[in-house]
């Protein structure tokens, strides 16, 4: 029974998360971001949440509402409130004593999942936010030698003790040190493939040029 309870605590469906609306779902994870010291995010599907601009957030959360059977009375009001909460959460990027390291596959810069105008604004936003002292952004080039380092599912590592994995139907939370260690090992391999600084900005500019 104890093992079953532990497994149940590891898994959270989007239906459970969004039961009280998108705003409540966003507020439910706020404390985690307030307490953390080091956050490492690997994204193979979309832009990392803390680096998403307002219009990108609005389009993404509108899609979430439609796809995940969100329960709230006023659709537009709930989406607007959720966007405001997410934007406010990004203030942690400027807090002293915190560090945020992001790895993004280059293809994420090019996925056409949003309108061209919002896509351009999001890429420009990335160029701005990557300059923050607490932020490190790495992009893994599409032509990188991937031998033994294939793209992985999106995952987030918090303070070397918690891994959250984003799946189609929900979130998986891992706290077992052995499992966390495996994700940290994958992180190190992927980090070694990424480019940073000017080379990273060049890939973002290249994606912008393609959009234009």
């Amino acid at each position: 029974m104890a093992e079953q309870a532990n497994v149940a605590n590891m898994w959270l469906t989007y239906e459970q998360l969004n039961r009280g609306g998108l705003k409540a779902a966003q507020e439910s994870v706020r404390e985690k971001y307030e307490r953390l010291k080091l956050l490492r995010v690997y994204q193979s599907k979309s832009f990392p949440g803390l680096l998403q601009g307002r219009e990108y957030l609005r389009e993404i959360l509108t899609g979430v509402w439609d796809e995940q059977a969100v329960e709230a009375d006023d659709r537009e009001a709930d989406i607007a409130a959720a966007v405001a909460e997410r934007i406010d959460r990004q203030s942690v990027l400027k807090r002293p004593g915190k560090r945020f390291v992001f790895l993004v596959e280059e293809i994420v810069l090019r996925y056409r999942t949003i309108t061209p105008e919002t896509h351009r604004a999001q890429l420009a936003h990335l160029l701005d936010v990557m300059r923050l002292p607490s932020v490190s952004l790495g992009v893994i080039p599409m032509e990188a030698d991937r031998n033994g380092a294939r793209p992985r599912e999106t995952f987030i590592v918090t303070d070397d003790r918690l891994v959250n994995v984003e799946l189609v139907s929900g979130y998986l939370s891992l706290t077992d040190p052995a499992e966390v260690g495996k994700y940290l090992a994958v992180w190190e391999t992927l980090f070694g493939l990424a480019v940073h600084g000017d080379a990273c900005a060049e890939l973002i500019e290249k994606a912008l040029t393609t959009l234009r």
Side-chain angles (χ1 to χ4, degrees):
M1 290 179 65
E3 290 178 354
Q4 289 177 347
N6 287 336
V7 170
N9 289 332
M10 290 169 58
W11 178 245
L12 179 65
T13 67
Y14 292 124
E15 182 179 13
Q16 293 170 317
L17 178 64
N18 297 325
R19 189 164 290 157
L22 288 181
K23 179 177 183 289
Q26 299 303 317
E27 291 174 335
S28 69
V29 297
R30 181 66 178 262
E31 186 179 356
K32 166 190 170 181
Y33 290 90
E34 296 290 341
R35 293 183 309 187
L36 65 82
K37 299 298 182 182
L38 172 63
L39 190 74
R40 283 177 275 198
V41 180
Y42 167 72
Q43 262 290 358
S44 57
K45 302 173 185 176
S46 64
F47 297 98
L50 285 172
L51 305 185
Q52 294 173 359
R54 185 179 296 275
E55 291 308 312
Y56 183 86
L57 271 170
R58 187 179 305 280
E59 289 195 30
I60 291 299
L61 290 178
T62 297
V64 167
W65 176 280
D66 296 334
E67 293 171 8
Q68 297 179 7
V70 176
E71 297 180 9
D73 294 331
D74 190 325
R75 177 179 182 272
E76 296 305 318
D78 187 44
I79 291 171
V83 170
E85 170 63 23
R86 286 280 291 272
I87 291 295
D88 188 59
R89 182 195 302 167
Q90 292 176 7
S91 64
V92 298
L93 295 174
K94 299 179 181 179
R95 303 270 182 85
K98 295 182 184 293
R99 183 71 177 158
F100 303 88
V101 188
F102 302 95
L103 285 181
V104 177
E105 296 284 350
E106 184 185 357
I107 191 63
V108 170
L109 306 178
R110 297 170 176 271
Y111 281 144
R112 303 298 178 89
T113 60
I114 50 179
T115 62
E117 295 77 15
T118 299
H119 198 157
R120 284 192 290 270
Q122 176 58 39
L123 291 173
H125 180 69
L126 271 188
L127 291 171
D128 289 336
V129 76
M130 68 181 287
R131 298 187 179 97
L132 291 174
S134 66
V135 172
S136 172
L137 175 61
V139 173
I140 301 175
M142 289 188 289
E143 68 269 20
D145 183 357
R146 304 298 296 249
N147 185 23
R150 64 186 184 278
R152 303 287 183 156
E153 66 273 11
T154 291
F155 65 89
I156 302 169
V157 185
T158 305
D159 291 331
D160 292 350
R161 57 178 175 77
L162 169 66
V163 174
N164 294 113
V165 185
E166 294 183 6
L167 301 175
V168 172
S169 57
Y171 279 96
L172 185 64
S173 297
L174 306 173
T175 56
D176 180 79
E179 291 185 297
V180 172
K182 290 179 180 179
Y183 275 91
L184 287 173
V186 169
W187 169 273
E188 292 300 328
T189 300
L190 294 170
F191 188 86
L193 297 173
V195 296
H196 301 81
D198 291 342
C200 175
E202 184 177 339
L203 289 180
I204 298 172
E205 291 282 6
K206 189 176 178 181
L208 262 172
T209 300
T210 302
L211 273 173
R212 296 192 186 103

